[in-house]
């Protein structure tokens, strides 16, 4: 109980900082998404490969973001099982599936099942950096342009607040026009219908909208991945705090149950000893 209580306190202290980092990155992500929507509306998007949908889906890439450490409830195991189930379903359809794991736990999970990730990152789930996002983004974009992947799916946990986390499954590539026109798209499916598309086509671009789009799209992909890493780090602390709080409460209940059992046994032992003393005294009186 002392260990779980200490871990709960540590996660409580760290979650606010992690949430702040994710919240500070949100305006930049929203701004670059909105900017990209305006550029895409004014350009010939059919000529840019990252916006094109491949004719046949033969290969899918999953990017799974989890954590390096456990003791966080279902934070790791739930998305791992879902990705594994989706991968096996796609393989049963004859499609090739590639995996990128961010976190020691998902890497070990899939390695144990003889599924070797194409890329894996460990040791930085609590403090993600832009280098990790850039490496993933470069691998993803190069593979999509070379048609090694026909679809890229990003899976992670979103920290709604200090108490609640929501799983997010987001199509990263191809970039859809709908996703660009919703820079502040909610991650809750039930709230998605309440969000309207937004773009302003009344911009003029130099040298051209196509050139600007070529610079913005890679930055957009890197930003989305980096924000997902920050969001997952905040969600990890929240999930661990909740799991450790539950473990601490369970330990308290165990202590109370053991205390009652101990007192009951102790009381029974004392009663037995008293009965023996009284019985011995009565026997002495009768012998006299």
């Amino acid at each position: 109980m002392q260990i779980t209580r200490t871990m709960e306190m540590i996660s409580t202290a760290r979650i606010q900082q992690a949430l702040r980092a994710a919240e500070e990155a949100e305006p930049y992500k929203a701004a670059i998404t909105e900017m990209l929507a305006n550029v895409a509306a004014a350009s010939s998007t059919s000529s840019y490969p990252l916006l094109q949908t491949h004719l046949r889906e033969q290969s899918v890439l999953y990017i799974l973001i989890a954590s390096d450490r456990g003791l966080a409830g279902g934070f790791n195991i739930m998305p791992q099982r879902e990705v594994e189930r989706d991968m096996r379903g796609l393989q049963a359809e004859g499609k090739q599936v590639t995996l990128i794991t961010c976190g020691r736990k998902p890497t070990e999970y899939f390695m144990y099942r003889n599924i070797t990730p194409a890329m894996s990152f460990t040791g930085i789930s609590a403090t993600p950096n832009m280098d990790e996002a850039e490496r993933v983004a470069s691998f993803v974009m190069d593979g999509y342009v070379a048609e090694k992947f026909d679809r890229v799916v990003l899976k992670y946990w979103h920290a709604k607040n200090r108490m609640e986390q929501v799983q997010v499954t987001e199509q990263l590539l191809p970039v859809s026009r709908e996703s660009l026109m919703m820079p502040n798209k909610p991650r809750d499916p039930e709230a998605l219908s309440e969000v309207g598309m937004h773009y302003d086509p009344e911009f003029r671009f130099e040298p051209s909208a196509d050139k600007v789009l070529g610079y913005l799209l890679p930055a957009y992909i890197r930003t989305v991945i980096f924000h997902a890493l920050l969001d997952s780090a905040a969600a990890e602390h929240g999930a661990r705090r909740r799991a450790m709080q539950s473990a601490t409460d369970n330990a308290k209940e165990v202590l109370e149950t053991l205390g009652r059992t101990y007192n009951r046994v102790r009381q029974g032992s004392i009663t037995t000893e008293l009965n023996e003393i009284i019985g011995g005294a009565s026997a002495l009186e009768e012998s006299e």
Side-chain angles (χ1 to χ4, degrees):
M1 186 180 71
Q2 291 176 351
I3 292 173
T4 57
R5 175 62 179 166
T6 301
M7 293 185 69
E8 177 191 350
M9 293 172 63
I10 292 172
S11 293
T12 302
R14 290 178 176 175
I15 187 174
Q16 194 59 41
Q17 182 180 0
L19 276 173
R20 190 182 305 113
E23 290 170 357
E24 289 175 353
E26 183 67 37
Y28 179 79
K29 178 187 176 184
I32 196 172
T33 304
E34 185 173 353
M35 188 186 304
L36 191 59
N38 291 319
V39 179
S43 67
S44 175
T45 56
S46 60
S47 64
Y48 205 81
L50 294 180
L51 295 175
Q52 293 180 4
T53 301
H54 296 171
L55 295 178
R56 293 183 60 190
E57 184 178 286
Q58 297 178 324
S59 178
V60 180
L61 171 66
Y62 273 89
I63 305 173
L64 175 58
I65 302 175
S67 73
D68 292 313
R69 298 188 300 152
L71 298 177
F75 183 84
N76 292 306
I77 195 64
M78 289 175 62
Q80 288 169 179
R81 287 176 176 173
E82 288 187 11
V83 169
E84 183 184 16
R85 183 177 63 248
D86 292 346
M87 290 176 65
R88 299 201 183 281
L90 291 169
Q91 288 171 346
E93 297 175 5
K95 298 178 181 179
Q96 182 180 355
V97 186
T98 309
L99 178 66
I100 295 177
T101 55
C102 300
R104 183 173 59 85
K105 286 295 182 180
T107 302
E108 292 179 349
Y109 179 89
F110 285 100
M111 290 290 288
Y112 181 77
R113 287 158 177 76
N114 297 320
I115 300 174
T116 303
M119 295 180 72
S120 60
F121 300 88
T122 59
I124 53 176
S125 69
T127 55
N129 54 66
M130 184 55 90
D131 291 340
E132 179 183 7
E134 288 181 350
R135 289 177 60 189
V136 174
S138 297
F139 180 84
V140 166
M141 290 185 291
D142 291 345
Y144 191 82
V145 171
E147 297 189 1
K148 294 181 180 179
F149 317 122
D150 301 312
R151 180 162 57 96
V152 180
V153 179
L154 183 63
K155 195 171 189 65
Y156 62 100
W157 284 93
H158 162 57
K160 290 184 67 176
N161 49 52
R162 296 177 61 178
M163 301 295 296
E164 189 175 359
Q165 299 82 41
V166 180
Q167 273 198 85
V168 177
T169 302
E170 182 177 351
Q171 178 175 303
L172 187 61
L173 287 174
V175 180
S176 64
R177 188 176 290 268
E178 289 76 13
S179 64
L180 293 178
M181 293 178 184
M182 287 186 278
N184 296 311
K185 180 178 67 176
R187 294 166 174 85
D188 301 345
E190 62 273 9
L192 186 59
S193 60
E194 301 177 6
V195 179
M197 295 184 181
H198 171 75
Y199 69 96
D200 186 356
E202 299 179 3
F203 283 99
R204 297 177 64 182
F205 301 95
E206 293 292 342
S208 67
D210 290 342
K211 290 286 186 180
V212 176
L213 186 65
Y215 287 109
L216 277 180
L217 260 177
Y220 167 78
I221 298 296
R222 288 193 297 269
T223 301
V224 171
I225 294 174
F226 184 54
H227 186 267
L229 292 168
L230 292 174
D231 210 353
S232 177
E236 177 187 350
H237 290 304
R240 182 167 293 109
R241 189 204 63 79
R242 188 172 57 181
M244 292 299 97
Q245 182 182 28
S246 177
T248 302
D249 293 341
N250 291 338
K252 289 179 180 178
E253 292 180 7
V254 171
L255 277 177
E256 291 174 0
T257 301
L258 291 175
R260 286 194 296 268
T261 303
Y262 171 79
N263 291 334
R264 210 165 33 241
V265 172
R266 182 170 176 270
Q267 184 178 3
S269 176
I270 292 173
T271 302
T272 301
E273 290 178 1
L274 288 174
N275 289 335
E276 290 175 353
I277 292 172
I278 293 172
S282 300
L284 287 175
E285 289 177 0
E286 291 176 359
S287 64
E288 291 176 357

